[in-house]
Amino acid sequence: GGDGAGVGGEGGRRMTLKVAEGRQGRGGNRNLHYGDGKGSGQESIAILESAVASEYIKVAPADVIEQLRQIIGTLYKCIGGHR
């Protein structure tokens, strides 16, 4: 939310925090945080796509979306496809 600064705004910030928390966690807590981070990454992509659809921006930055998809894929692998 807010000013939309950064990757996907609030979703991007949450993803970063959840990944950092997950790195410090163990077992189920790690998977929980990584799963939340994955969801926040997906939310960031949706925010960018919505911004294009609402004509707030002309085009979503393809390199940013690709980076988000790579991070989401990595988190998916880390949690074994759960959540």
Side-chain angles (χ1 to χ4, degrees), residues 42-66:
Q42 292 165 328
E43 179 182 318
S44 295
I45 292 171
I47 289 167
L48 290 168
E49 290 171 344
S50 294
V52 171
S54 299
E55 298 181 356
Y56 289 118
I57 59 176
K58 291 184 187 234
V59 62
D63 58 330
V64 171
I65 290 178
E66 180 58 29

Side-chain angles (χ1 to χ4, degrees), residues 31-32 34-36 38 75-83:
N31 286 350
L32 176 69
Y34 282 175
D36 287 348
K38 183 172 72 75
L75 292 172
Y76 183 84
K77 291 176 187 173
C78 287
I79 61 177
H82 301 288
R83 203 164 139 63

